[in-house]
Amino acid sequence: QQPVQSPQAVILREGEDAVINCSSSKALYSVHWYRQKHGEAPVFLMILLKGGEQKGHEKISASFNEKKQQSSLYLTASQLSYSGTYFCGTHTTNDYKLSFGAGTTVTVRA
Amino acid sequence: SAVISQKPSRDICQRGTSLTIQCQVDSQVTMMFWYRQQPGQSLTLIATANQGSEATYESGFVIDKFPISRPNLTFSTLTVSNMSPEDSSIYLCSVGAATDTQYFGPGTRLTVL
């Protein structure tokens, strides 16, 4: 089942912060975050695993609340290069497949 | 990290024809995935390609329309058969596991006229 992302879109000025949320109705094993720029393939940002392990981008942080089946991606001191569409992908505990949210479009302006 | 290439990168096809998309990985992988991304939409899993067995298709996708081959651990093909304009999308292959990073190929942009 597709996770729910919010907000759908956000507009920032350089240096501002933003939070993107991803929630699931099912128990999650892992949450993956990707950024896709127009005309390009999705690029891996971070994976958060049940139990607290995280792997990913040094300058982007995220959290994973296993009990609430939610994850949040934090864009801090945003840069122009942060613009793009952010997707969360979730693995449930009983499934090996990734289900992707609808995406959050981030626009960072100078 | 895995390096994935896809061919062709884009194509414009006529209605009723078929197109085969190739996906090559620079290392051996157990699972390969095929996704479709319709314009302005999210990523939808078409099927999982397993080496040595039939592909596993998701609800709404059938083998007759999207036959998949997986002849070895570094290569897979997806065929889009009897195409219609509704098949115009980006088709992406990816590799990875639930406990690790899933990497995407650059995608194949398909336009059906």
Side-chain angles (χ1 to χ4, degrees):
Chain A
Q1 189 169 355
Q2 188 179 34
V4 177
Q5 277 186 245
S6 63
Q8 283 187 312
V10 60
I11 300 174
L12 301 167
R13 294 224 176 260
E14 269 188 299
E16 292 182 340
D17 303 337
V19 180
I20 302 171
N21 300 303
C22 175
S23 64
S24 173
S25 60
K26 296 187 177 182
L28 298 176
Y29 182 85
S30 66
V31 179
H32 301 226
W33 286 96
Y34 292 83
R35 178 172 60 212
Q36 185 177 32
K37 293 186 180 284
H38 184 69
E40 300 179 8
V43 173
F44 168 77
L45 294 176
M46 178 164 288
I47 178 174
L48 302 102
L49 299 168
K50 185 177 179 179
E53 186 179 357
Q54 295 186 13
K55 307 178 194 179
H57 203 287
E58 292 180 356
K59 295 187 177 180
I60 291 178
S61 63
S63 64
F64 179 20
N65 187 322
E66 296 171 32
K67 287 186 179 179
K68 291 185 177 180
Q69 296 158 189
Q70 294 175 349
S71 177
S72 295
L73 185 73
Y74 304 97
L75 304 179
T76 305
S78 59
Q79 306 171 16
L80 294 175
S81 61
Y82 287 9
S83 293
T85 301
Y86 289 76
F87 292 100
C88 70
T90 56
H91 277 118
T92 65
T93 51
N94 296 319
D95 202 346
Y96 61 87
K97 300 172 291 187
L98 270 179
S99 294
F100 285 91
T104 297
T105 300
V106 173
T107 304
V108 181
R109 295 179 174 165
Chain B
S1 64
V3 177
I4 306 170
S5 59
Q6 283 185 236
K7 289 181 182 179
S9 58
R10 60 178 65 236
D11 208 340
I12 300 173
C13 300
Q14 295 298 319
R15 182 195 298 260
T17 63
S18 298
L19 176 72
T20 296
I21 302 167
Q22 299 179 7
C23 178
Q24 179 78 52
V25 188
D26 68 342
S27 58
Q28 293 186 341
V29 294
T30 304
M31 301 178 95
M32 295 178 75
F33 305 91
W34 286 98
Y35 287 86
R36 181 176 74 182
Q37 187 174 30
Q38 295 178 303
Q41 301 296 310
S42 184
L43 300 136
T44 301
L45 182 64
I46 297 171
T48 303
N50 306 304
Q51 196 269 334
S53 63
E54 292 287 329
T56 304
Y57 288 84
E58 297 302 304
S59 176
F61 297 96
V62 295
I63 187 170
D64 290 345
K65 176 68 176 177
F66 297 100
I68 287 171
S69 77
R70 181 81 196 273
N72 57 53
L73 291 174
T74 63
F75 187 78
S76 177
T77 67
L78 169 76
T79 299
V80 186
S81 303
N82 188 25
M83 289 184 285
S84 67
E86 292 71 33
D87 294 319
S88 297
S89 294
I90 301 172
Y91 292 86
L92 299 127
C93 69
S94 74
V95 302
T99 57
D100 210 337
T101 309
Q102 193 159 2
Y103 295 100
F104 284 87
T108 295
R109 279 168 179 68
L110 172 62
T111 302
V112 184
L113 302 177

